[in-house]
Amino acid sequence: MEAFNQLSIKSLRLLVAILEHGSFSEVARREGMSPSTVSRTIQQMEQLLQTQLLYRNTRAVVATEAGQLLGVHARRIMEQLEEAAEGLQEKESDPRGRVRINAPVVFGQRHIAPWLYQLSERFPHLQIELMQTDDFIDPLQDATDLLIRIGAMSDSTLQARTLAQQQFRLVASPAYLQRHGTPTDPQALSQHSCLVFKGFSGSQRWFFRQGDQAWQAYSFRGPLTGNNAETLTQAAIDGMGFALFPTWLVGEALHQGRLVSVLADYQVSNSLEPQTISAVYPNSRRLSKKVRTVIDFLVEKYGEPAYWDQGMA
């Protein structure tokens, strides 16, 4: 315990930064220090704790098991100090500081990136760090303030605020429908070209129902399957066949007439679970003013219903 009492906040902050960036030189550049100073600080920590915290090689710096454990607790300490600083600053009317956001790649491109300029103009003291990935992210482990996630929310360690309900449409281009006709029921799609998303769990099934009837699942094939929704959407716009995607992805093309909604009297989905677009943050973490400001801004801009759903039947 005596050794831990001698650790400085500065050394813990450097350890967290090294674990995030995997490089002494990158941390040194960001902190305005020399790489040798950063390395020496870590060596002093290791000598004090009598354990190795990092594996060093010419390409990267990787945490040992002890380094990972200390890094988890060091992050929490840094977050608590940051929250304390924010609590003192929140007496001011203007939110400020860095907000680390993680969002899905395509949704981030379509519905977060276009609003960043207005967000920065309205709140000039905010510093936005936007990371876009479709991989699973644990906000407690990855130093993320806010996740934008799409799907069914089930993790009880996270809190969420709904930004929009996810709605789906079965779509095709006017040119495709003119050439091949418009199906009148889901079964008829088996005679058409279907563009199906294929992820880690295999090709997606399409679900249809009318009114209060039970959902019916269908598996279709076509000239193109893939794991990139934008590619499949563009293929549908180009006339290759039918696609089933959320309205936040195909809404603009529907409004512009490049795609047409088909089987509009059916509810359609790629899952039996209700899905939302949500702003997610750890249940254990106090929601700071700067994060709340970003969430409120997105809620305002998206609207109710979301702007990509407005004007649709």
Side-chain angles (χ1 to χ4, degrees):
M1 180 61 71
E2 180 63 28
F4 280 95
N5 289 337
Q6 297 180 48
L7 292 175
S8 67
I9 298 298
K10 179 180 179 181
S11 63
L12 292 175
R13 182 166 56 82
L14 286 177
L15 175 63
V16 170
I18 291 168
L19 295 180
E20 288 184 5
H21 300 290
S23 166
F24 285 159
S25 58
E26 175 63 17
V27 171
R29 184 186 67 81
R30 289 171 175 264
E31 298 292 331
M33 306 166 63
S34 67
S36 60
T37 300
V38 175
S39 178
R40 186 165 57 251
T41 300
I42 299 301
Q43 289 175 352
Q44 291 170 347
M45 291 179 67
E46 292 175 327
Q47 293 169 1
L48 185 63
L49 299 174
Q50 297 183 346
T51 187
Q52 185 176 1
L53 299 175
L54 300 171
Y55 295 119
R56 303 156 174 85
N57 58 50
T58 56
R59 290 181 297 176
V61 179
V62 181
T64 64
E65 183 176 356
Q68 291 175 347
L69 178 61
L70 182 58
V72 169
H73 292 284
R75 275 197 189 94
R76 292 175 183 170
I77 292 172
M78 296 301 104
E79 288 167 357
Q80 289 170 349
L81 288 173
E82 187 174 339
E83 287 179 4
E86 290 169 356
L88 295 174
Q89 292 174 351
E90 282 185 7
K91 295 180 180 179
E92 305 176 14
S93 60
D94 193 14
R96 59 187 61 224
R98 182 173 60 156
V99 181
R100 295 158 295 194
I101 305 172
N102 186 283
V105 175
V106 179
F107 185 86
Q109 291 169 344
R110 295 289 185 93
H111 302 293
I112 295 179
W115 299 110
L116 292 179
Y117 177 75
Q118 286 191 31
L119 177 63
S120 180
E121 283 285 292
R122 187 182 299 183
F123 306 105
H125 297 297
L126 285 180
Q127 300 166 354
I128 303 300
E129 181 179 299
L130 176 61
M131 305 300 292
Q132 294 173 226
T133 176
D134 294 323
D135 297 334
F136 172 79
I137 295 294
D138 183 342
L140 292 174
Q141 298 292 329
D142 291 274
T144 299
D145 297 307
L146 182 62
L147 300 175
I148 307 300
R149 282 297 172 260
I150 302 173
M153 297 301 303
S154 58
D155 192 336
S156 61
T157 66
L158 301 174
Q159 293 191 61
R161 181 172 175 186
T162 298
L163 301 176
Q165 299 295 326
Q166 174 146 267
Q167 310 288 343
F168 289 84
R169 291 290 187 276
L170 177 70
V171 297
S173 71
Y176 178 91
L177 297 176
Q178 185 176 8
R179 290 197 308 269
H180 302 285
T182 301
T184 57
D185 56 59
Q187 291 90 336
L189 288 170
S190 62
Q191 305 301 315
H192 286 269
S193 297
C194 295
L195 313 173
V196 181
F197 184 89
K198 185 175 183 179
F200 292 113
S201 58
S203 298
Q204 281 185 347
R205 292 190 297 171
W206 293 358
F207 296 87
F208 297 81
R209 77 171 179 181
Q210 280 186 305
D212 295 329
Q213 297 177 7
W215 287 98
Q216 298 293 321
Y218 296 86
S219 295
F220 296 113
R221 295 181 179 179
L224 176 65
T225 59
N227 68 344
N228 185 283
E230 279 200 302
T231 298
L232 294 170
T233 299
Q234 185 59 51
I237 292 172
D238 293 340
M240 284 187 67
F242 289 94
L244 191 152
F245 281 122
T247 51
W248 61 259
L249 177 60
V250 299
E252 181 179 8
L254 285 169
H255 286 301
Q256 294 172 346
R258 294 184 295 157
L259 289 174
V260 176
S261 182
V262 184
L263 298 181
D265 53 338
Y266 284 82
Q267 297 178 60
V268 296
S269 182
N270 64 7
S271 170
L272 292 178
E273 294 184 290
Q275 299 182 44
T276 60
I277 302 167
S278 301
V280 181
Y281 52 93
N283 197 26
S284 59
R285 190 177 297 171
R286 170 181 170 270
L287 185 60
S288 65
K289 182 176 182 179
K290 62 182 182 180
V291 176
R292 187 169 62 250
T293 295
V294 173
I295 295 175
D296 290 343
F297 177 85
L298 293 177
V299 168
E300 172 196 330
K301 292 303 177 184
Y302 292 169
E304 176 57 42
Y307 60 80
W308 52 81
D309 282 327
Q310 292 175 15
M312 291 191 189

